[in-house]
Amino acid sequence: MVVRRRQSIPDQTVRSSELTPEKEGELSLAAPKLGLVLSILAMFLVPFFYFLFVRYRMEIEIHLRLSILVCVAISLCGFVASALLIPVAARYLLRRNLFGHDLNKRGTPQGATKVPEALGIVTGIVFLVVAVSVQLAVSFLQYNLTADSDWLVEYNAALACICFMILLGFVDDVLDVPWSVKLVLPLFAALPLVMAYAGHTSIVIPKHLVPFVGQSVLDLGWIYKVYMIMLVVFCTNSINIHAGINGLEVGQTVVISVAILIFNLIQIGASTDPDYKKAHVFSIYIMLPLLTTSLGLLAFNWYPSSIFVGDTYTYFAGMAMAVVGILGHFSETLLLFFLPQVLNFLYSCPQLFGIVPCPRHRLPRFDPQTGLLIGSSDMNLVNLFLRLFGQCTEKSLCIRLLIFQAFSCLLCFGLRSILAGWYK
């Protein structure tokens, strides 16, 4: 976790070209954990390609498979770009006094080190470049993003929402926006999505409730768009408040992104509805760039973190997953993937809404003698895990929370399999 130290840099600030070698060498990032992220990438690509080329070999059309492969190739370039640009951007951010100290390492030399902050801005920019490149490439293949396509409008609206959220997140990192304002920001960022949304506003009623409702499909009209906005607000803020230890923000995004991508392929292969397939292909075009650029960020943010991602990343990652859930028409499944974030939000409500005193940083206590984290009385999953399962290192705690995230995603797949044909 970060405690910010920002100072204005008036006239006496030297220009970057005038920095001495000593000042330029002030930042020395640890080597990125490329072995870790490449292992994660390989573990994802194996089932992804299995579903794409083996399990649904006949069900997924050749032109559709080609467009997905193009997206994979461009997204991998995004991973490389993120890994290369983060060290460069970190030096510039540190020169502008945009840094923090790791509160979970107080009392140790690492706790006194200046850690560059808001590096999510790099991932966000690379993501946008990759997503636009995917759009151009797929349009060239003339699949489903042609000039007269409704999907092109919605795709651009999704990118506009994400771009808006990157900007607002970076403003928050620089200005320390109050929590009450943070809740409102996604409302404005969601406006392009709401205006461009051309899909249905109806929901399928569970079979067992049809006799009570009187119909199997219920059109919600404007209420559905209110639901869309609420989902955006929740997703963007839920990643932000389920945080506080090295690697957790990016790690949970990676796990959810992998689950969404596997889910997309399963739905594409199992469906015969062209529009339904397009909805999940759209999701892949957004989620693959998010996954690969996030892995480039995780290489530097995994414990011990040499950079902080900032609210820029948590906002943009949450918005990206919200738009694919809405435009891909699987918002219910998305909320199941977000089960830890839902539980964390519900558990945090008394503090978030001022019923219980809420400190600025709801962090565990760090014991410099043992190097272990001890759960505080603050109401979030990070502290709850420490109170339930005992004190542990920061790295172990992050791994436990990510295992819980992965288990929640597997539970979602299991529930869908069990309830298919019975619930709806």
Side-chain angles (χ1 to χ4, degrees):
M1 187 58 184
V2 56
V3 56
R4 288 159 180 155
R5 293 286 186 271
R6 298 192 186 90
Q7 303 162 355
S8 60
I9 309 178
D11 298 337
Q12 62 266 34
T13 304
V14 294
R15 298 180 180 177
S16 57
S17 59
E18 299 171 349
L19 288 171
T20 63
E22 292 77 8
K23 291 179 180 177
E24 287 184 324
E26 184 179 354
L27 174 67
S28 179
L29 292 183
K33 293 85 173 176
L34 292 178
L36 171 69
V37 296
L38 290 176
S39 299
I40 296 173
L41 185 59
M43 290 173 61
F44 158 72
L45 289 176
V46 169
F48 186 82
F49 285 139
Y50 166 76
F51 284 114
L52 187 61
F53 290 105
V54 180
R55 176 64 179 84
Y56 297 113
R57 182 179 68 256
M58 303 302 296
E59 291 83 354
I60 300 179
E61 297 86 348
I62 294 177
H63 65 277
L64 179 55
R65 186 179 292 115
L66 177 60
S67 67
I68 294 175
L69 286 177
V70 169
C71 183
V72 171
I74 298 175
S75 298
L76 290 175
C77 295
F79 166 73
V80 175
S82 294
L84 293 177
L85 291 176
I86 285 173
V88 178
R91 293 185 177 89
Y92 281 98
L93 290 171
L94 190 59
R95 290 172 188 171
R96 303 308 302 174
N97 277 1
L98 197 62
F99 67 89
H101 295 289
D102 199 327
L103 295 180
N104 287 328
K105 300 178 180 65
R106 263 185 306 203
T108 69
Q110 288 178 312
T113 302
K114 294 180 179 180
V115 182
E117 194 185 356
L119 265 301
I121 188 66
V122 176
T123 305
I125 292 172
V126 174
F127 167 85
L128 289 174
V129 172
V130 172
V132 171
S133 300
V134 169
Q135 175 185 334
L136 292 174
V138 173
S139 298
F140 180 76
L141 293 174
Q142 295 184 345
Y143 175 57
N144 62 3
L145 293 179
T146 53
D148 59 347
S149 171
D150 289 337
W151 285 105
L152 181 61
V153 176
E154 292 189 343
Y155 191 88
N156 288 334
L159 294 184
C161 291
I162 295 170
C163 183
F164 199 173
M165 211 65 241
I166 292 172
L167 172 62
L168 294 176
F170 191 69
V171 169
D172 185 16
D173 281 328
V174 174
L175 300 181
D176 289 337
V177 176
W179 174 250
S180 57
V181 178
K182 292 182 182 182
L183 290 175
V184 180
L185 293 180
L187 294 175
F188 300 100
L191 291 179
L193 179 65
V194 175
M195 296 298 296
Y197 183 73
H200 61 76
T201 57
S202 58
I203 60 173
V204 178
I205 303 299
K207 291 183 177 180
H208 303 285
L209 297 180
V210 171
F212 302 98
V213 178
Q215 51 188 329
S216 59
V217 178
L218 180 64
D219 187 8
L220 298 179
W222 63 269
I223 298 177
Y224 189 84
K225 294 195 174 184
V226 174
Y227 164 74
M228 289 167 49
I229 295 176
M230 293 175 62
L231 183 65
V232 167
V233 173
F234 169 75
C235 289
T236 51
N237 284 287
S238 63
I239 299 292
N240 191 37
I241 64 176
H242 186 39
I245 58 178
N246 292 171
L248 181 56
E249 298 96 324
V250 189
Q252 62 186 296
T253 301
V254 167
V255 174
I256 298 173
S257 298
V258 167
I260 291 175
L261 286 165
I262 298 298
F263 172 75
N264 291 149
L265 280 184
I266 293 174
Q267 296 304 303
I268 292 171
S271 176
T272 57
D273 183 355
D275 289 335
Y276 188 72
K277 287 188 175 186
K278 288 180 181 180
H280 287 282
V281 172
F282 166 86
S283 176
I284 290 177
Y285 294 160
I286 297 290
M287 282 294 101
L288 265 174
L290 176 64
L291 173 62
T292 54
T293 53
S294 295
L295 285 174
L297 186 62
L298 186 63
F300 295 91
N301 186 241
W302 188 250
Y303 182 90
S305 177
S306 54
I307 57 97
F308 291 134
V309 301
D311 293 340
T312 308
Y313 176 79
T314 57
Y315 283 160
F316 122 73
M319 176 62 81
M321 290 184 281
V323 297
V324 299
I326 293 169
L327 298 180
H329 308 299
F330 58 92
S331 57
E332 290 179 348
T333 301
L334 181 67
L335 287 176
L336 288 175
F337 288 148
F338 270 74
L339 180 59
Q341 288 73 24
V342 172
L343 295 176
N344 183 64
F345 172 75
L346 294 176
Y347 184 49
S348 300
C349 278
Q351 284 190 312
L352 296 180
F353 294 104
I355 301 173
V356 175
C358 182
R360 178 174 177 78
H361 300 295
R362 302 187 302 154
L363 297 175
R365 297 191 303 273
F366 176 70
D367 185 354
Q369 302 300 321
T370 62
L372 302 178
L373 295 178
I374 305 169
S376 69
S377 60
D378 290 314
M379 305 172 74
N380 56 25
L381 279 188
V382 172
N383 287 295
L384 181 61
F385 263 59
L386 288 170
R387 293 199 298 268
L388 290 178
F389 305 111
Q391 53 188 274
C392 64
T393 64
E394 185 175 359
K395 181 178 180 180
S396 297
L397 178 58
C398 184
I399 292 173
R400 291 178 184 178
L401 290 166
L402 294 182
I403 290 174
F404 179 53
Q405 184 77 64
F407 173 78
S408 300
C409 294
L410 292 175
L411 177 64
C412 174
F413 283 110
L415 286 175
R416 284 190 60 90
S417 176
I418 294 172
L419 300 178
W422 178 82
Y423 181 67
K424 287 186 177 180

